[in-house]
Amino acid sequence: MMATMSTVWDRTSAFVADHLAALAPIVLFGMFVPLALIGNLVAVMGAVGLTGGWVVGVVIVLLSLASNWGAIAVTALALDPAAGRSGAIHTTNHRFLPVVGVNVLALIALFVLFLPGMVGFSLSGIPMTQMTGEQPSLDAINGPMVLFATLYTLVLLPVLLWLVARLSVLNATMVAERRGPGVFGRSFALTRGSALKIMGVLLLYLLVSQIAGLAARMVAGAVFGLLLGGVGPLSASAILTALVVAMVSTLFSVLAVVFLAKLYLALRDARAPILEAA
């Protein structure tokens, strides 16, 4: 499988290099702009009051949907480059709602998985927020609940990573095969025997992307802060810093989306005889 991962990465980089013209408008308007706006809006949520916060929250949700649309369009283009940008947009418009619906089901399942841990922490006596600066009394802390919630979360994290690996080609499968809820079983079938390698790639991606994003925020924030001054969420330095961070996030997002699309194609082609025989 390691050779397959190397091949998938080669196909990913080759696709991005060969289709920059087709990718650029989709990535710019469907991914970068929503991410940049979200980065700036998140910074002002706490300063616009309760009603304003709700309005900003709704706008962020809409921008997140727009960003998902862009990611699906990139997936469609990576799956079928011959169809071009217009073909990818046509496919995305037809598959957007089913893909979002399947992802909502996955998020609900994720919430259910984390629910026991969240309930445990809520009953532990430890404040969920330190906004007041108050420290909890030791007598108020429920030791068994703290232990349960902590152990549950620690055990759940590797399980969650394994599930993410098994469902890593979910969106690509939805776009390519036009399936419904049965896409979960299809994704598990495609990734059978490959989960550990995919987990390794996911961990490496998370590590590199998070470090790059943090570095971009720190460096850009320091440079723009020195040149332009201002510390407010809507200051020129804050806006420009959010744009730089959005650029880095968009770059890594595009690479991840294309990689998963090419991974789907590789897994499908490699497992086609097995799946057909079954």
Side-chain angles (χ1 to χ4, degrees):
M1 191 59 193
M2 187 61 70
T4 301
M5 289 295 179
S6 177
T7 301
V8 171
W9 172 250
D10 290 341
R11 293 172 181 173
T12 298
S13 55
F15 169 81
V16 173
D18 294 341
H19 297 83
L20 280 176
L23 281 170
I26 297 174
V27 172
L28 176 61
F29 296 106
M31 298 181 74
F32 170 72
V33 171
L35 288 176
L37 292 174
I38 289 173
N40 283 287
L41 288 173
V42 167
V44 303
M45 281 196 69
V48 293
L50 181 61
T51 302
W54 277 102
V55 173
V56 172
V58 170
V59 174
I60 288 176
V61 170
L62 294 176
L63 289 171
S64 298
L65 290 174
S67 178
N68 286 331
W69 183 95
I72 296 170
V74 172
T75 298
L77 185 60
L79 291 172
D80 187 11
R85 184 168 62 242
S86 60
I89 291 175
H90 176 79
T91 299
T92 302
N93 290 337
H94 283 80
R95 299 303 296 160
F96 177 69
L97 290 179
V99 172
V100 170
V102 165
N103 279 275
V104 168
L105 290 177
L107 288 175
I108 292 173
L110 179 64
F111 174 79
V112 172
L113 282 175
F114 271 103
L115 187 59
M118 291 188 291
V119 171
F121 279 119
S122 68
L123 298 176
S124 67
I126 300 176
M128 301 303 291
T129 176
Q130 295 294 328
M131 293 294 290
T132 62
E134 298 178 0
Q135 297 299 319
S137 169
L138 291 178
D139 295 334
I141 295 178
N142 187 328
M145 276 297 176
V146 173
L147 181 62
F148 163 76
T150 302
L151 291 178
Y152 182 87
T153 303
L154 290 176
V155 172
L156 182 60
L157 289 177
V159 174
L160 179 62
L161 182 61
W162 179 82
L163 286 173
V164 171
R166 297 303 301 270
L167 298 175
S168 58
V169 295
L170 195 70
N171 287 353
T173 305
M174 282 289 295
V175 174
E177 303 185 12
R178 291 171 169 79
R179 293 175 179 260
V183 70
F184 292 99
R186 173 63 167 166
S187 182
F188 266 74
L190 287 170
T191 56
R192 184 177 296 120
S194 306
L196 290 179
K197 300 300 182 184
I198 297 174
M199 288 170 65
V201 172
L202 290 176
L203 285 173
L204 179 61
Y205 170 81
L206 288 173
L207 178 64
V208 174
S209 61
Q210 291 301 311
I211 291 176
L214 180 61
R217 183 178 300 278
M218 293 177 62
V219 173
V223 171
F224 291 133
L226 289 173
L227 294 177
L228 303 174
V231 294
L234 291 180
S235 64
S237 60
I239 292 174
L240 290 175
T241 299
L243 291 177
V244 172
V245 174
M247 289 175 60
V248 175
S249 298
T250 300
L251 173 61
F252 279 96
S253 296
V254 170
L255 291 175
V257 168
V258 175
F259 180 87
L260 292 177
K262 297 302 182 182
L263 176 63
Y264 160 80
L265 293 175
L267 293 173
R268 183 197 64 182
D269 294 344
R271 298 191 62 85
I274 300 175
L275 295 175
E276 290 174 1

